[in-house]
Amino acid sequence: MIKAIIVEDEVRGLTNLKSMLKLHCPQVEVIGEAGTLEDAESLIAEVGEQIGLAFLDINLPDGQIFDLLDRIKPLKFNVIFVTAFDQFAVKAFEYASIGYILKPIDPHVLAAAVERIRPQDNERLDERLDVFQQSMSSNKFDKITISAIDGLYFLAIKDILRIEADDNYSHIYTTEGQRFTVSKTIKYYEDLLKGDNFFRVHKSHIINLNYMKKFVKGDGGYVVMNDDKEITVSRRRRPAFTDRMKKLGAQAFG
């Protein structure tokens, strides 16, 4: 059993979440609930050693949940944030690799989120929360959390050179010559990094356009990256790639 607490100030939302957990997540036992930061802090002080998972609303009557989390670090339990849709916040959760579910709660999404929880998922959670809060406060993304096979890493987005697909895994290459293997598809990173000067030139490759040294035209067109890797630009993606280059002001595409 996963012993959990819920911090939610809306009575209807609290009741709904408890009912969904009972119906769809029988492995979760709710051992406490709170509706304010003050009550949540008292609850955690009382049952903190038992908590395996906390469902946390962000905005509470007496402040944001992060005010409390900052006070009780280091966190020793997993968290899933329960929040109303905010496009930027959702992307920030993804960049920081922090669990979340959106209101109104879909029971299948809830069950899937709980199913993904593992005891080690709170690894370096304090630092992941810092990445999230920095993104939210600056309204931009500077870092991304990488849950690689050998551990958790925090990479500066500007240092990602390219990403290569390997079935349901991806290999992330950095400007410093590092390679990280993660259990995320290349489509996941294509969606996540959209707008950050990354472009998927082929079904198996995303490149950082800042580190493209050369584009060789022709039927077998390809780009040469700063690490001298030659990457094919697929015929299907060529028009969109060309348009992107024009927007960046590349002379060869003018």
Side-chain angles (χ1 to χ4, degrees), residues 58 83-98 100-102 132 136 141 188 192:
I58 294 178
T83 181
F85 180 77
D86 179 297
Q87 191 170 5
F88 188 84
V90 166
K91 198 167 185 180
F93 281 128
E94 294 283 358
Y95 270 84
S97 192
I98 295 175
Y100 68 93
I101 51 179
L102 298 175
F132 174 83
M136 292 298 290
F141 302 106
Y188 172 84
L192 186 64

Side-chain angles (χ1 to χ4, degrees), residues 5-252:
I5 63 169
I6 300 174
V7 180
E8 167 64 75
D9 65 313
E10 296 180 0
V11 176
R12 182 179 296 179
L14 174 64
T15 302
N16 183 50
L17 178 53
K18 287 173 66 176
S19 298
M20 285 190 180
L21 287 171
K22 188 173 183 179
L23 285 172
H24 303 282
C25 305
Q27 73 273 42
V28 175
E29 177 189 358
V30 178
I31 61 172
E33 56 195 61
T36 65
L37 295 181
E38 183 179 358
D39 289 345
E41 189 165 10
S42 298
L43 175 63
I44 292 170
E46 180 183 350
V47 299
E49 293 300 319
Q50 303 177 52
I51 301 171
L53 174 61
F55 294 93
L56 305 174
D57 190 8
I58 294 178
N59 296 306
L60 298 166
D62 50 347
Q64 288 200 330
I65 193 66
F66 302 109
D67 298 334
L68 170 59
L69 298 181
D70 285 339
R71 291 200 297 271
I72 64 173
K73 290 179 178 178
L75 301 179
K76 298 180 180 179
F77 48 81
N78 293 305
V79 301
I80 294 178
F81 289 96
V82 184
T83 181
F85 180 77
D86 179 297
Q87 191 170 5
F88 188 84
V90 166
K91 198 167 185 180
F93 281 128
E94 294 283 358
Y95 270 84
S97 192
I98 295 175
Y100 68 93
I101 51 179
L102 298 175
K103 299 177 181 178
I105 300 172
D106 182 319
H108 302 293
V109 173
L110 173 63
V114 171
E115 188 63 32
R116 286 194 298 268
I117 290 293
R118 298 290 182 271
Q120 67 272 23
D121 282 353
N122 65 348
E123 180 186 7
R124 301 179 74 178
L125 178 57
D126 298 340
E127 292 171 81
R128 285 185 280 149
L129 286 169
D130 287 341
V131 171
F132 174 83
Q133 289 179 270
Q134 287 167 12
S135 298
M136 292 298 290
S137 61
S138 65
N139 205 39
K140 64 178 181 177
F141 302 106
D142 295 318
K143 286 187 176 182
I144 187 171
T145 303
I146 301 294
S147 183
I149 290 175
D150 62 337
L152 202 65
Y153 296 87
F154 299 90
L155 302 183
I157 295 170
K158 65 179 180 60
D159 292 337
I160 298 175
L161 178 71
R162 57 188 176 88
I163 303 173
E164 183 177 6
D166 185 1
D167 291 328
N168 289 324
Y169 289 81
S170 296
H171 303 299
I172 298 175
Y173 296 84
T174 72
T175 55
E176 296 180 351
Q178 298 170 296
R179 187 183 92 159
F180 302 94
T181 299
V182 296
S183 58
K184 299 278 190 183
T185 65
I186 197 167
K187 180 64 167 63
Y188 172 84
Y189 287 109
E190 180 184 17
D191 293 339
L192 186 64
L193 296 170
K194 190 175 297 182
D196 283 307
N197 225 28
F198 289 84
F199 192 89
R200 189 172 180 179
V201 295
H202 189 273
K203 66 179 181 180
S204 62
H205 266 102
I206 294 171
I207 65 170
N208 186 332
L209 298 173
N210 292 315
Y211 302 117
M212 186 182 72
K213 289 200 300 186
K214 182 180 180 182
F215 174 60
V216 179
K217 296 182 179 182
D219 289 339
Y222 61 90
V223 296
V224 181
M225 302 301 293
N226 276 12
D227 62 352
D228 293 320
K229 174 72 174 179
E230 296 180 359
I231 300 173
T232 299
V233 178
S234 71
R235 186 183 299 274
R236 183 172 68 86
R237 299 174 191 272
R238 188 84 56 84
F241 177 70
T242 301
D243 287 344
R244 186 69 177 273
M245 290 297 95
K246 288 179 180 178
K247 289 178 181 177
L248 290 176
Q251 294 299 318

